[in-house]
Amino acid sequence: MSYIGGVYYLTYTAVSPNGVGVGLRTTSDWLNFQSYGMILPPHNKDCTIFEEKINNLFYALHRPSSLEIGGNYIWLASSPDGIHWGNHQCILRTRSRFWDIARIGAGASPIKTEKGWLAIYHGANEKHQYCLGAFFNGFGGSFKSNSENRRSYCVAN
């Protein structure tokens, strides 16, 4: 959930006969909701929208999933209206020999700090043991991260 300009943006995993994608609903009063259906097509999930527009654009982290032709990585997308998304960029990948070797996905909305954005994410190893991690980076026209900016905070036994 993200709160931007008096509107709550609620992303969720939308299940359809054609696969799992990202759905969106909005509300300003928690009584009336606008549904936009699937805003990111299958197979995609783990979406979170930044709680501030940057250069007059919405930004979101999401995870298109395709082990056959890529992996379960975190991507960044931008939107002029919070509904239509484009300019997708892979910004965080799984790492070999680490707790997030099998898959990663976005968590809560990134948190703006004085030095940039702090993003919480989840990851899992090949035994499906989930862990909580974070990465940090500034935002100067592009959002990039690397292994040196990542750290685990809660590791399953």
Side-chain angles (χ1 to χ4, degrees), residues 30-134:
W30 293 100
L31 299 173
N32 301 292
F33 292 85
Q34 174 72 44
S35 181
Y36 296 93
M38 222 178 262
I39 59 169
L40 293 171
H43 188 85
N44 205 318
K45 58 190 283 188
D46 299 339
C47 180
T48 184
I49 298 174
F50 285 62
E51 289 195 320
E52 177 180 308
K53 287 185 180 182
I54 302 164
N55 297 328
N56 209 29
L57 293 172
F58 290 84
Y59 280 87
L61 300 175
H62 66 100
R63 185 183 81 186
S65 297
S66 179
L67 292 176
E68 294 79 22
I69 58 172
N72 290 319
Y73 308 142
I74 296 176
W75 288 63
L76 176 76
S78 61
S79 169
D81 57 11
I83 301 164
H84 304 95
W85 295 89
N87 194 27
H88 302 271
Q89 303 169 45
C90 183
I91 63 164
L92 208 65
R93 298 170 62 105
T94 55
R95 302 176 291 173
S96 60
R97 300 184 316 270
F98 284 91
W99 57 271
D100 52 2
I101 187 173
R103 65 188 157 280
I104 57 175
S109 296
I111 302 163
K112 186 176 183 182
T113 72
E114 291 178 4
K115 296 185 179 183
W117 295 90
L118 174 66
I120 307 298
Y121 75 103
H122 66 275
N125 63 21
E126 61 280 349
K127 295 179 183 178
H128 308 290
Q129 294 170 310
Y130 276 84
C131 306
L132 176 69

